[in-house]
Each structure stands twice: as structure tokens, then as C-alpha cells.
Amino acid sequence: MNQNKNWSKIALATLVLVSVVACGKSRQVKISASDVVRATTPAKLPADIEKLWKNRHNEQDLRQALVSLEKFAIENPQYTDVKVMLCRGNYLMGDGHLWLKLTGDADEDKKVKEESIAFYDAAVNWCEAALAMNPKFRDKVVKDGLEVEKALDVLGPEDIDALYWRYASLGKWSRLVGFTTLLSNRSKFSAMVNRVKEIEKAMGKEYFYAATLRYDAASNALSPTGDKKLADKLFEEAIAKHPNYFAVRVLYAESRLKGNEDKFKKQLDYVIKGKAASLPEIEPDQIVEQRKAKKLLDEL
């Protein structure tokens, strides 16, 4: 973990960063003023990093992958896809491996949550670095001094990964930091997801297994003022669209079905007995979701 932190410090020291807006109580948006031109082809990663990334369902492999990916990203700053991998990898550490370590005991969970906050913050930073590879966006934020959410109109299909995973990571970060921070960032979540929806419409296809549909479901499920019946309807729609995408079933069970034991078990049993390889491009993430489903059932 120390090596990982050291690379993070080097990454921040290597880039010229401009702090443009306070987010919540303790993090700042960091957008690079560098004019590095975005590569038009994906990065060709060394075989050892590829192997670690494919094994990201193992915590130690993911930790080492993040160290190696950060080094590669610093040495090859033109690759947006590597920055997005770092965003998603840090997100998976918080939402997957560290979530699995939570026990429900406040004292035991405190350090886990603190580490999770750090990983989510790193995820947001790397997604912001990826967004900054769009020169129009970078100019609006750095030169014109606009908040990120006021500069989203120039983002396109090539930015949708970084945009969506920035939302997902900022949402998790905000929830752990505290309810006040979560409330203060709600407008940011809406702005980012609405822009994802606009890009989806322009592309003529949905993004990442009905990601925006899941957002609408979860926002209603988790908000004290949300429409719970609508949340259930939207979760069911998302599951119908992508029945083998495990994360939506786990989220549905955790956020809405704890009071309905039969439905709770049904969703989680489907995940546990399912084939992670049915979606080969995210098989490691699917394996982590199966572990989360088992933990929820064990706690029941």
C-alpha cells in the first residue's frame, strides 16, 4: 500500500494541476493544465500488468495492478483508457474488496472506511485526469475557471467512461464522507448522469449494462425522499435488460429487499449460482459481486 501511495504522490507531482472547486469538505477537483494529445488507439500494456488486471478479483493482484498502472500512466500520459482503468480499479478496491471487509462493528470498520475514502478519491482524480484529455473541456475548466459540471456539454462518446465512473466514484466517496457532503453533491451527480444520458442518445445505444437506468433506480431507493415503488420498477427493468449483470441484483437486494426475505434470497442466489464468465469483459468484477452476494446472504 505504501508503494501505491508513493506512485500517487509522483503522479500528482508530475502533472501540473489546477484546483478549481472544493467538493464536499475535503477533496478538490484536480484538472491537468498539460496539453498532452490524447492517443487515438488504446494503450498496449505490458503482459505482467495485463495479467494483474485480469486477476483484479484478487485483492493483492489489484493493489499491484494499480501501482503498475500508475507508473505506466505517468510515463505514457497520452492514454485516456489507462486513466479510466485506474479510476475503475480504485473504485473496485472500495466498492468490492474493502466492502467485503466491513463487519458492522463501528471501531473495526473505521479504518476500512478511511481506506475506502482514499481509494474513491483516487478514482475520482484519475477520471478527472481522463476528462482533461478533452482539450475543450480542459480549457473550460482551467482557462475559463468553470466548475466541472458547467463544462460537461463539450464531452462526447470518447469521454463517457471517465464521466460515468467519475460520478460513480464521487457518489461512493460522498456517501462515506458524510450525509451533508452527499446532499451537497447531489446536483453534481444529476449533472453528470444527465450528460451521460445525452451522450447515450447521441450514440443511439445505452451505456454499460443500462448504467443510467441503474442510477435512476438507486437514487430513488437510497434517497429518503425517493419513490420506492419506482425504484423497484426500474431495478426490475435493468435486470430484465441484462439478467447476467450481477451488480444490479446485488444493489437491488441490498438497498430494497432486506425486508422481503424471499426476493432478497432469490436475487442473491441467482448471482451466486450464475456464471461470471457470461460477461467475459467484466468477469473479475462479476466474481467480486458473487462474493458480495454471499456476504449479504451470510449476514441474513
Side-chain angles (χ1 to χ4, degrees):
M1 186 60 190
N2 289 337
Q3 189 178 6
N4 195 5
K5 288 182 178 178
N6 288 338
W7 275 116
S8 296
K9 292 177 182 178
I10 294 171
L12 294 178
T14 303
L15 295 174
V16 180
L17 296 171
V18 180
S19 298
V20 295
V21 60
C23 173
K25 293 184 177 180
S26 60
R27 81 166 303 278
Q28 287 185 314
V29 174
K30 300 179 180 70
I31 298 295
S32 172
S34 170
D35 59 356
V36 173
V37 177
R38 174 163 42 192
T40 56
T41 57
K44 178 64 176 176
L45 293 172
D48 60 327
I49 299 180
E50 286 276 10
K51 183 177 180 181
L52 288 168
W53 181 249
K54 288 180 180 178
N55 289 331
R56 61 188 180 276
H57 52 287
N58 298 321
E59 181 182 346
Q60 293 308 314
D61 284 336
L62 178 55
R63 287 182 182 272
Q64 186 56 50
L66 292 174
V67 172
S68 300
L69 282 168
E70 284 195 14
K71 182 176 184 295
F72 185 92
I74 294 163
E75 295 171 349
N76 303 274
Q78 70 273 28
Y79 291 115
T80 304
D81 59 318
V82 176
K83 294 177 174 64
V84 172
M85 288 173 71
L86 279 160
C87 179
R88 289 184 59 182
N90 278 285
Y91 177 92
L92 181 61
M93 275 298 305
D95 187 58
H97 296 299
L98 293 177
W99 184 92
L100 288 165
K101 294 181 179 181
L102 294 172
T103 65
D105 180 274
D107 292 333
E108 291 183 14
D109 289 348
K110 184 178 179 180
K111 289 185 178 180
V112 176
K113 289 182 178 180
E114 288 175 350
E115 189 177 11
S116 297
I117 287 171
F119 275 105
Y120 287 133
D121 187 50
V124 177
N125 284 337
W126 280 110
C127 274
E128 289 167 356
L131 290 173
M133 298 300 287
N134 180 319
K136 292 181 180 179
F137 174 83
R138 185 171 65 240
D139 285 348
K140 280 198 168 192
V141 174
V142 176
K143 292 183 179 180
D144 300 339
L146 294 181
E147 292 184 4
V148 166
E149 290 71 31
K150 301 288 179 62
L152 302 180
D153 60 310
V154 297
L155 299 178
E158 67 278 9
D159 305 303
I160 195 169
D161 289 324
L163 177 59
Y164 174 77
W165 289 101
R166 180 184 186 265
Y167 142 69
S169 304
L170 183 61
K172 294 286 186 178
W173 178 89
S174 300
R175 188 169 293 278
L176 281 180
V177 169
F179 188 66
T180 302
T181 299
L182 182 67
L183 286 180
S184 69
N185 283 333
R186 285 181 67 180
S187 62
K188 294 179 172 63
F189 307 150
S190 297
M192 287 184 281
V193 173
N194 286 339
R195 183 55 187 158
V196 172
K197 290 179 179 179
E198 291 170 355
I199 298 172
E200 282 182 317
K201 186 175 181 180
M203 293 191 303
K205 60 180 181 180
E206 66 179 20
Y207 174 70
F208 203 76
Y209 310 102
T212 56
L213 184 58
R214 291 197 308 277
Y215 166 80
D216 290 337
S219 62
N220 277 287
L222 297 173
S223 170
T225 59
D227 186 331
K228 309 308 178 187
K229 289 184 178 180
L230 177 59
D232 293 343
K233 178 177 178 289
L234 296 176
F235 272 125
E236 295 288 354
E237 286 181 16
I239 289 169
K241 279 176 172 284
H242 301 283
N244 291 320
Y245 180 68
F246 296 157
V248 68
R249 292 179 183 271
V250 173
L251 179 58
Y252 184 25
E254 184 184 14
S255 63
R256 288 291 302 139
L257 300 180
K258 286 185 176 179
N260 188 325
E261 188 171 323
D262 289 341
K263 286 188 175 181
F264 183 82
K265 288 182 176 179
K266 180 181 177 182
Q267 291 297 341
L268 298 178
D269 280 339
Y270 186 99
V271 172
I272 292 169
K273 296 174 182 177
K275 293 183 178 179
S278 62
L279 298 176
E281 65 276 14
I282 56 166
E283 182 179 357
D285 310 81
Q286 294 271 85
I287 293 171
V288 173
E289 293 299 329
Q290 288 179 314
R291 294 172 185 163
K292 290 170 67 175
K294 185 177 184 304
K295 182 176 188 289
L296 286 169
L297 276 178
D298 289 345
E299 289 173 349
L300 177 69

